Amino acid sequence: MKIGINVLNYGEGTTPESIETWVRGAEELGYHLAMISDHVTLPPEVAGAFPPPFYDPFTTLAWLAGRTSTIELGTTVVVLPYRHPLQTARVTANLDRFSGGRLVFGVGLGWSRQEYAALGIDYASRGRITDEYLACIKEHWTQPVVSFQGEHVAYTDITTGPGPVRDPHPPVWVGGLSDAALHRAGRFGDAWHPYTLGADAIRERLPVLEAAAEAADRPTPAVTPRIALHLTERPVEPESRLPGHGTVDQVRADLEALAELGVPYVVLDTFLSSYAGPVPPAESPRHDLTQLETVAERILDLPGETLR
């Protein structure tokens, strides 16, 4: 089981230097993956939760590709309807090449009606747009010339080369918790990428994922959950505890349960301090790397991709 981190790419105090500190620090500790989130614009309902400045995921990952050498780089998650699929296909393939085949492409629908309105995209159609764009992008990753006929994009004999390094393409992680997200993962994903779910909750949803993959005549995708990480000195009561929140022993138990479930990756959110009280932005990289050091020393065998 590989372990990734979600890197803070927004908010007061976030700078290129703070992002680099996080990712290079995680790489030096032996973590396997660094991921960042996505918004294109920040209307009031977005800025309230994700305050500016907000660093673009693709630009940031391209920059990080030149400042790292082994850690995989990904998105958790790109809001797929926000960008034309031809642009996204080209940018992601370029990123995979610049990073030497280290891109993990996490995708989702987003949630902000105001952001959709600002971009002139129909919020009610976001599910259909996402499905169509995923099909389009995957064709461009695997074929030199593509003709595509869809509800939202249509064209003949278009190339977006060069293609990606990974064969057949960068892994696609489909985010979301709804049945529609699970069906999308079954049709298009290499993995389902749920957020805040522990092993028991994931296990309850697996029949939906398995049925969706069977209906699409595809192998069942892997499960690559993202959980909050907040270490505490005293145990957190079960009724108020999120996966990844608690003592070293509680967090170890969460990761053990996920390992027993057979998940190939777990992504840790170290910075979502709303779960347990805010950390000042200027202190976030140091605070978060301290937590990651503790987890690496007391819970994880990162080189062996297992638990201690």
Side-chain angles (χ1 to χ4, degrees), residues 2-308:
K2 294 184 178 182
I3 306 295
I5 66 165
N6 186 24
V7 179
L8 187 66
N9 61 324
Y10 61 85
E12 180 185 357
T14 299
T15 63
E17 292 74 22
S18 72
I19 294 171
E20 184 176 9
T21 295
W22 247 304
V23 177
R24 287 174 64 88
E27 183 176 54
E28 289 169 4
L29 288 169
Y31 283 88
H32 306 102
L33 170 65
M35 306 190 89
I36 59 176
S37 57
D38 179 34
H39 282 285
V40 170
T41 187
L42 303 177
E45 68 179 5
V46 174
F50 302 89
F54 199 108
Y55 285 81
D56 172 75
F58 294 137
T59 307
T60 304
L61 291 177
W63 177 72
L64 288 170
R67 283 165 167 74
T68 57
S69 57
T70 59
I71 196 166
E72 291 180 287
L73 302 168
T75 52
T76 178
V77 291
V78 162
V79 185
L80 208 59
Y82 286 174
R83 302 167 181 85
H84 196 284
L86 291 175
Q87 177 193 20
T88 303
R90 181 186 295 278
V91 168
T92 50
N94 283 189
L95 264 173
D96 198 53
R97 285 196 167 264
F98 287 132
S99 66
R102 290 186 281 145
L103 178 66
V104 175
F105 189 51
V107 302
L109 273 67
W111 52 271
S112 172
R113 291 178 180 271
Q114 291 180 354
E115 190 166 18
Y116 270 90
L119 295 169
I121 302 166
D122 181 26
Y123 181 84
S125 301
R126 68 195 188 284
R128 297 195 306 276
I129 295 172
T130 298
D131 290 350
E132 185 174 310
Y133 284 14
L134 272 172
C136 174
I137 290 165
K138 292 180 75 171
E139 284 200 35
H140 280 277
W141 279 345
T142 56
Q143 300 178 36
V145 180
V146 175
S147 297
F148 192 90
Q149 182 66 48
E151 179 184 356
H152 302 92
V153 288
Y155 49 82
T156 302
D157 295 340
I158 296 296
T159 182
T160 59
V165 172
R166 294 223 200 192
D167 185 20
H169 53 69
V172 176
W173 292 10
V174 177
L177 302 178
S178 66
D179 282 359
L182 286 160
H183 284 287
R184 183 169 298 109
R187 289 178 61 195
F188 299 105
D190 300 294
W192 172 44
H193 183 45
Y195 176 45
T196 71
L197 297 187
D200 290 342
I202 290 171
R203 191 177 290 107
E204 291 176 2
R205 306 305 308 280
L206 286 180
V208 179
L209 182 65
E210 291 165 352
E214 183 178 359
D217 195 24
R218 299 182 69 238
T220 301
V223 182
T224 55
R226 175 178 139 201
I227 62 173
L229 174 66
H230 182 79
L231 295 176
T232 61
E233 293 185 3
R234 296 182 178 181
V236 178
E237 295 300 321
E239 59 271 15
S240 61
R241 197 176 77 85
L242 292 168
H245 185 179
T247 63
V248 165
D249 288 341
Q250 286 180 306
V251 174
R252 180 186 288 108
D254 291 332
L255 293 174
E256 286 175 346
L258 290 169
E260 290 172 2
L261 199 60
V263 306
Y265 286 82
V266 177
V267 178
L268 303 176
D269 267 334
T270 58
F271 64 82
L272 294 182
S273 302
S274 57
Y275 294 127
V279 174
E283 299 180 15
S284 289
R286 179 180 57 80
H287 171 270
D288 292 358
L289 284 174
T290 298
Q291 290 199 87
L292 293 175
E293 288 170 359
T294 300
V295 171
E297 291 170 359
R298 299 181 61 184
I299 301 176
L300 302 174
D301 174 5
L302 289 167
E305 299 180 8
T306 187
L307 303 177
R308 294 184 185 276

